[in-house]
Amino acid sequence: MVRSGGDPMLTGRATGGTGPARFRERFLQGEQVTEGVRPLILNSWQRSRTLGLSPNQSELPYREDFEPDGRIVRAAVPVLDRLQSRFDGSEMNISVADANGTVLLRRFGKASLARSLPAIQSVPGFVFAERFAGTNGIGLALAERQLIRVYGAEHFAERSQGSACRALPVRDPLSGRIEGVLCLGYPRGAEDPSLDSLIRKAAEAIERRLLRQSSTRERDLLTAYLDAGKQAASGLHHSVTVAALASELRPADWAILMEKATELLSRGQRAALDVPFPDGRSITLVSRPMTGASGVEGFAVEAVLPGPAPRDAATIPHQVDEPMSLPAVPAPAVTSLSKAISVVAAPDLSGSVTTAGLDGERGDHHASPPPARGLVLVGEPQVGTYALAARRRLELLSEAGTRIGSTLDVRRTAQELAETAVPRLADFVTIDLPEAVLRGDEAATPLGALLRTVVHGIRDGCPFWPVGKQVDYASTTPQLRSLTVGQAVLEPDLTAAAGWLAHDPEHSGRLLSHVRSLIAVPLVARGVVLGVVCFYRAQDSAPFEDDDRSLAQELATRAALSLDNARRYTHERTLALALQRSLLPQGLPDHSAVDVALRYLPAESDVGGDWYDVIPLSGTRVGLFVGDVVGHGMLSAATMGRLRTAARSFAELDFPPDEVLTHLDNLVARLDREDPDSDGAGLIGATCLYAVYDPTSQRCTMARAGHPPPALARPDGTVSFPDLPAGPPLGLGGLPFEAAEIDTPADSRLVLYTDGLIEDRTRDVDVVLDQLSSALAHSARTPEETCGVILDTVAPARPYDDIALLVAHTHALEPDRIASWDVSTDPAVVSEVRAAAMRQLADWGLDEAAFAAELMLSELVTNAIRHGTGPIQVRLLHDRTLICEVSDTSDTAPHLRRAATTDEGGRGLFLVAQLSQSWGTRYTPQGKVIWAECGLHGV
């Protein structure tokens, strides 16, 4: 029976709202939890949150196809029956799950529990893997691969808060592979530390029954080893269970030990090997031959621990049915293996392992405690060799799956393939790809010319064709044969490869002094031929065999998928970048108000929707735009084009900056509503900054919608970031935009940019703004030079977002090129205004433009007097064109119309439109301005 009681080793019990319950609540609220929760539990919570699991989740996957009479079930049924008898009358819930977390068996201390508990806790078939159920006994035991305890609020799901459990992986005794999990669940208040020992014994019993299901040859060798241990009763050694041995080692150290033991077994010789660990400790592995009763010959590999045996060391059992020294902890996958192992001959170890057999001195078990030993592996050398080779192949393919394709760059992906294969499969690797594939296109003639893309090997100086050289293979070469048949071609002895030698005898002869064997594999993915990879073995390495060819084929096939993904991405990125650049301004307008330099820098990973524009406006003013459409790819580029076109249209209508942003805000919201995938959720987002610079007043009016403020470098070298009203991003609606007017003296530099310039995961924004200020401190630089300096010193080295940059060097329209008059509302003054204007044009030397200007000015002033309200002002601006402006305080807009033959009026604006290059109306806070431009050389 389980007795009630506390566990002094279990910290932070979830009782009364304290301990794990409090910390779990803080964790779920997003607070940082560093103490009070066991690291094993906290790590599981974090994984559960990363997986997007909800604490309130009550449903788990259910599998109807689980095997009710599998190997683990047959081994576990009698053990679970005994446990059920042991806990008869208690609220113990006993279960066994497979290696995927699917519950296969359930037993209950009380039969009534099966009826009172929900199906998820009483019916086999539900999956309790951590990725589905969060922190729980079965899932955490599989994730951590060790005995675990989960208590109360340590469970991630709310449904398990009143429970506690212990769970332990059950392993195949010979392979060390996890076959399932044994879990004991019970009420939270029935905690009992003795359950640790009980669950270990029960798991060992299941493992013993699994052993009986193994092959006769394996059992025969193990029996011979146990019999040898029974006979070694001299007392010169201690034996230790491998579970105890594993408890002395970290999981990574145990993986190293198992890997070396497997390699030692595969050598099939009596030997001893010292295995060092990163922390400075070491364990000696000893292999010795044995022969089973049926004549099966094999080897046993034992671990010899320095110093006295651990406290829980037990004598080696004498019979298979008793608890025995078995590898209770498997060897996790090892990411790297040495190609060779230093094995030294060992003395005769057919009996017990003694200190004399290890250090060459005569052991005296009375003088010093003897070392402890434990069985690690037993088996036949051939089986060990095959197992080791298979493990290495699996490890290589596993590493390839995580290492190849870490970027979406074709060249980098090819390099990763070569780095993965060297030196574990080949000594040298070359990869040849068509130029079209490097551009992101499909190769039109994959059997044609290829470019050497990668050369990688264990050493430099091998005379392969260099990277960048065009390589043409003859039809008899292994490379072209592999491309033709679509399969790997093996040449174990290149000295006998006539087709390879005949292709280029001189080059092939130089290579033969370095390499001896070749496998050529085509890179084919989704029916697209991407190129060819060649694996070479050096002269001092064993030649390739058929198994190597299969491995090379599998490795190349997996890498080809990553290469094709990179190629497709490169193709799509090239198209998106071409679209993006085509939608940006292709040239700069001639304008006297500013000198402008523009830059667009795409993100390293993808193309976004950043844009800029320069728009000439009436009255010698200029509009400057910078914007950023959220997202990347073709859709963002296309949306950017629509937004820029609309922004230019609104600006050319002479709306003030805040009104332009209001119209853009409505447009983005409308585009989002029209998108069938958005569901009104605001999928299209954008920011924008619009500035209008007036060279006559040397002032700049700006408004922004969720965009970073500009930088303003004045002629005296001071740099500031004007504090503009922020405004919401475009498309949100509901809030007005505000404009601000900033003094901008001539020879200032106005810098507009998108957030990709200053925002970076690894840099502080304030530091970046200081760098930008330093880059603008030198007033002598041209806008082009300033752009270059900013991108070199301020922009991230590997930008993860697009960068749009606009640098405007401001100029002023000289006062002697501006003439203005205040006009009364008396029609008689029209002739006086014409006369004054003609005198000013004569002073400017614009006699050729005088006729057209006189007529336009006469019509505009007359209309203002008749239809507007005073006061009225006339202004002439001498710039690249002659600009005539008439302003009044009325907001009534004139309209161009075609007058009938009987009409006495209505022809004035028509005459203005014919005489001018352009004309229009802009509104001001005081009223409106009607303007017209004409060339400096008359009509």
Side-chain angles (χ1 to χ4, degrees), residues 3 38 330 372 511 670 702 766 800 848 909:
R3 67 176 183 271
R38 291 184 288 153
L511 274 180
R670 192 160 54 249
M702 309 180 201
D766 292 334
Y800 74 94
E848 295 182 6
L909 285 180

Side-chain angles (χ1 to χ4, degrees), residues 241-251 254 328-329:
T241 64
V242 175
L245 173 62
S247 67
E248 297 288 318
L249 299 176
R250 297 174 301 182
W254 179 257
V329 179

Side-chain angles (χ1 to χ4, degrees), residues 539-848:
Q539 285 287 352
D540 55 353
S541 298
F544 286 119
E545 299 178 353
D546 286 333
D547 286 346
D548 299 313
R549 175 172 55 185
S550 300
L551 178 59
Q553 179 78 61
E554 178 67 20
L555 184 62
T557 299
R558 296 190 181 194
L561 290 173
S562 296
L563 275 172
D564 191 50
N565 289 337
R567 180 195 64 81
R568 288 168 175 251
Y569 169 78
T570 300
H571 180 70
E572 293 178 2
R573 186 177 188 274
T574 301
L575 291 180
L577 184 57
L579 175 63
Q580 170 85 352
R581 294 193 183 281
S582 70
L583 294 175
L584 291 173
Q586 301 303 304
L588 291 175
D590 293 331
H591 209 282
S592 301
V594 291
D595 295 329
V596 177
L598 304 169
R599 292 289 190 279
Y600 171 72
L601 185 65
E604 184 179 61
S605 60
D606 210 344
V607 177
D610 291 15
W611 56 281
Y612 47 69
D613 209 347
V614 180
I615 305 169
L617 301 175
S618 63
T620 68
R621 299 172 306 137
V622 63
L624 306 174
F625 268 113
V626 166
D628 183 1
V629 175
V630 175
H632 296 88
M634 298 286 286
L635 178 60
S636 293
T639 303
M640 178 275 292
R642 300 171 71 179
L643 193 60
R644 175 181 167 255
T645 300
R648 189 178 188 91
S649 299
F650 296 143
E652 289 179 341
L653 290 174
D654 261 327
F655 292 132
D658 52 339
E659 291 189 27
V660 169
L661 295 185
T662 299
H663 289 295
L664 290 176
D665 181 65
N666 294 332
L667 173 65
V668 172
R670 192 160 54 249
L671 292 175
D672 192 53
R673 289 194 298 269
E674 293 172 358
D675 187 344
D677 298 327
S678 71
D679 194 24
L683 295 183
I684 300 176
T687 65
C688 183
L689 172 63
Y690 180 38
V692 176
Y693 174 67
D694 187 345
T696 64
S697 64
Q698 300 179 44
R699 296 183 67 81
C700 189
T701 305
M702 309 180 201
R704 62 184 179 124
H707 202 84
L712 177 62
R714 290 184 166 81
D716 60 2
T718 60
V719 179
S720 64
F721 297 88
D723 186 16
L724 306 179
L730 299 177
L732 297 184
L735 293 175
F737 296 97
E738 299 179 56
E741 196 170 52
I742 308 296
D743 288 326
T744 312
D747 292 327
S748 297
R749 282 165 298 159
L750 188 62
V751 180
L752 281 62
Y753 52 87
T754 54
D755 56 5
L757 178 68
I758 62 172
E759 294 184 3
D760 185 74
R761 298 183 182 95
T762 61
R763 302 188 300 170
D764 184 83
V765 173
D766 292 334
V767 174
V768 177
L769 293 179
D770 290 341
Q771 294 174 345
L772 180 57
S773 298
S774 300
L776 295 175
H778 300 278
S779 59
R781 293 190 180 117
T782 66
E784 289 290 341
E785 293 171 343
T786 302
C787 275
V789 171
I790 291 175
L791 292 181
D792 290 340
T793 61
V794 181
R798 303 168 69 93
Y800 74 94
D801 196 8
D802 289 21
I803 296 175
L805 178 63
L806 184 154
V807 177
H809 183 194
T810 63
H811 302 289
L813 188 62
E814 298 300 330
D816 59 0
R817 286 177 170 259
I818 304 173
S820 61
W821 302 272
D822 293 327
V823 181
S824 67
T825 56
D826 184 358
V829 302
V830 175
S831 59
E832 298 177 5
V833 172
R834 287 201 304 265
M838 292 306 99
R839 289 192 297 271
Q840 183 63 61
L841 294 181
D843 292 342
W844 285 341
L846 302 179
D847 295 330
E848 295 182 6

Side-chain angles (χ1 to χ4, degrees), residues 399-483:
E399 181 178 342
T402 58
R403 183 173 182 179
I404 300 175
S406 61
T407 67
L408 288 172
D409 179 81
V410 175
R411 295 180 185 272
R412 180 57 195 158
T413 302
Q415 182 69 32
E416 289 169 344
L417 166 59
E419 292 173 353
T420 302
V422 175
R424 297 168 63 182
L425 173 61
D427 296 316
F428 303 96
V429 171
T430 65
I431 301 177
D432 305 317
L433 305 176
E435 187 176 1
V437 171
L438 296 173
R439 294 194 308 265
D441 302 327
E442 292 187 12
T445 55
L447 303 184
L450 301 170
L451 285 180
R452 177 58 49 87
T453 307
V454 172
V455 176
H456 183 68
I458 57 176
R459 57 179 175 267
D460 297 330
C462 197
F464 292 106
W465 294 122
V467 172
K469 179 179 176 57
Q470 181 172 312
V471 181
D472 295 311
Y473 291 113
S475 58
T476 57
T477 58
Q479 292 87 346
L480 204 60
R481 281 159 44 206
S482 71
L483 287 171

